[in-house]
Amino acid sequence: MTHIILPPATIGIIGGGQLGRMMALAAKPMGYTVIVLDPTPQSPAGQVADDQIIASYDDVSALKNLASRSDVLTYEFENVDRDVLKKYASKILPQGVDLLRITSDRIAEKTFIRDEAGVPVASFQIIESAEQLKTGTTPSILKTVSGGYDGHGQWQLNTPFEASQLVDNFPGGRLILETLVNFKQEVSIMVARSSDGHITTWPIAENVHHNHILKYTTVPAKISSTLSKKIIEIAHKIAEKINLRGILGIELFVNDEEVWVNELAPRPHNSGHFTIEAANVSQFEGHIRSVVGLPLPEITLTQSATMLNLLGDELTQAKADFKNHPEWHFHDYGKATIKADRKMGHITVLGDENGQALIAWGKQHEQRNRL
């Protein structure tokens, strides 16, 4: 029989941002105790957890402390010290450290997807010098191998001239140059695998990015049944090959019948936030269920949904309008400081008509922020 960690056992979460917050909010109603490790006092996750260890992520004594007080560990982001986790926490980390190794390095990730999972990715080149960049394919996107997010550490190179300009200001280090593919839509799928190997997927979502940051998500994605079947098969392949525990976000590019995997996220994903209100089990509850060994039910979408990210001061504007929108499911992440393009919260609505109205609201206030 599979070992199941039942409440009131303690779940330790490395990372205190909004994803950790929503993990904790999923775990607490089930009766689990939650401890968060994050350097920021009163972090978003720390505000709703039972306790927070205030320390940097590379603080070995703090990680040991968290591990000693937890029955199971998980994380909300990829850039965790794998060596420390392997040494002090591998026995209580169901997701393992190999998943982190693959998903925290874009070259390792693309190679795994293409060669081990046998799934299409955009062509890519490893760039280690300015000379190599001169002969690189364009149009393409140059990315840092690790640490990039929301457009940070990325340079779009549409022409050889743009590439030559970057040569003069070469970022340095090991980089990856990904050829741009001719895609029509950006979509994503969340997949989880239980301790007994059962694989569960959530409905495929369609995403729109502004300046490389996810702006809004609609579900179900407007794609063919043939394409939907391909994407679900890809999710199953990757989950099996990676020996997945917990939840995995898979971002993909698609056109009418072709699909390429763009990125993997070894934890809940921004584009899966709609599942809190629009699915019978949220991505966060699914993640917790998987890491503690509980079974995962089949996922159903209760209604079409739209999720809008609130970036920077859009949170303030949304708070002011909240009283006029009873249809809004409003989420404030509790971050202390508002910064431009920082994810401060999100809104989800159910139904197509409400979704169109929410997107219109987002466009109006995004334009206001540009003025």
Side-chain angles (χ1 to χ4, degrees):
M1 181 178 177
T2 301
H3 177 58
I4 298 174
I5 300 168
L6 293 171
T10 298
I11 300 171
I13 302 175
I14 303 170
Q18 64 264 25
L19 297 178
R21 180 187 182 96
M22 288 180 271
M23 284 184 200
L25 289 171
K28 289 302 297 175
M30 291 190 273
Y32 289 99
T33 303
V34 178
I35 303 176
V36 171
L37 170 63
D38 193 274
T40 305
Q42 280 293 294
S43 67
Q47 293 167 26
V48 300
D50 295 279
D51 196 9
Q52 178 180 338
I53 299 170
I54 301 171
S56 63
Y57 304 123
D58 59 0
D59 186 322
V60 175
S61 63
L63 280 167
K64 287 171 67 177
N65 182 17
L66 179 66
S68 69
R69 296 173 61 189
S70 303
D71 297 289
V72 64
L73 273 185
T74 186
Y75 43 78
E76 67 146 18
F77 62 95
E78 293 90 316
N79 298 310
V80 183
D81 191 318
R82 299 194 304 273
D83 293 334
V84 173
L85 284 181
K86 189 172 183 178
K87 186 173 182 180
Y88 297 110
S90 59
K91 290 182 180 178
I92 59 169
L93 186 71
Q95 294 156 278
V97 295
D98 200 46
L99 178 61
L100 284 172
R101 177 189 64 80
I102 292 169
T103 55
S104 63
D105 182 300
R106 285 192 169 102
I107 294 170
E109 181 178 90
K110 296 281 186 186
T111 303
F112 166 82
I113 296 167
R114 182 192 64 191
D115 297 347
E116 295 188 47
V119 172
V121 296
S123 299
F124 64 91
Q125 301 166 257
I126 300 170
I127 302 294
E128 295 179 308
S129 69
E131 287 301 313
Q132 286 179 307
L133 185 58
K134 286 180 182 178
T135 58
T137 303
T138 55
S140 57
I141 298 182
L142 184 69
K143 300 179 181 179
T144 55
V145 170
S146 62
Y149 66 96
D150 290 347
H152 298 283
Q154 296 187 22
W155 301 265
Q156 185 160 334
L157 308 175
N158 295 310
T159 65
F161 175 71
E162 289 181 357
S164 68
Q165 285 186 310
L166 190 60
V167 165
D168 296 331
N169 297 285
F170 187 67
R174 200 162 178 245
L175 305 167
I176 182 171
L177 187 69
E178 300 177 12
T179 303
L180 286 177
V181 296
N182 184 27
F183 68 89
K184 182 178 176 183
Q185 296 156 285
E186 296 182 67
V187 301
S188 57
I189 186 169
M190 306 305 300
V191 57
R193 182 171 170 272
S194 64
S195 55
D196 63 2
H198 178 72
I199 294 173
T200 301
T201 59
W202 277 255
I204 299 165
E206 187 170 344
N207 304 313
V208 172
H209 291 78
H210 293 175
N211 300 320
H212 302 286
I213 303 172
L214 180 64
K215 189 57 189 173
Y216 59 85
T217 293
T218 56
V219 64
K222 292 182 173 64
I223 56 175
S224 68
S225 57
T226 301
L227 201 53
S228 178
K229 185 178 177 183
K230 279 185 183 180
I231 292 168
I232 293 169
E233 287 174 353
I234 284 170
H236 277 250
K237 276 185 182 180
I238 292 173
E240 286 282 7
K241 286 290 182 182
I242 215 164
N243 197 26
L244 180 66
R245 282 289 298 278
I247 200 163
L248 181 76
I250 306 175
E251 294 182 87
L252 312 101
F253 299 136
V254 301
N255 57 29
D256 291 333
E257 296 300 334
E258 292 179 288
V259 58
W260 302 264
V261 173
N262 180 34
E263 289 185 350
L264 306 179
R267 33 78 182 167
H269 190 263
N270 192 178
S271 67
H273 291 350
F274 73 89
T275 61
I276 297 172
E277 287 85 20
N280 60 322
V281 172
S282 76
Q283 63 165 342
F284 299 99
E285 182 180 341
H287 178 75
I288 296 297
R289 281 177 167 270
S290 178
V291 297
V292 300
L294 289 169
L296 287 158
E298 292 305 309
I299 303 301
T300 56
L301 185 69
T302 56
Q303 199 172 350
S304 63
T306 301
M307 187 280 301
L308 173 75
N309 267 333
L310 296 171
L311 306 177
D313 196 51
E314 289 170 356
L315 176 70
T316 306
Q317 297 162 23
K319 281 181 179 179
D321 277 359
F322 191 17
K323 62 183 182 294
N324 303 317
H325 292 279
E327 76 280 9
W328 283 6
H329 296 277
F330 184 81
H331 297 259
D332 181 344
Y333 299 153
K335 295 182 179 180
T337 306
I338 291 177
K339 297 178 182 177
D341 289 335
R342 189 183 195 191
K343 294 171 184 171
M344 301 300 299
H346 74 267
I347 299 167
T348 300
V349 295
L350 303 179
D352 294 339
E353 188 173 335
N354 287 335
Q356 291 168 10
L358 180 63
I359 291 170
W361 183 95
K363 288 179 178 178
Q364 175 189 351
H365 289 80
E366 181 182 36
Q367 183 65 36
R368 184 183 299 173
N369 284 338
R370 289 199 194 107
L371 298 177

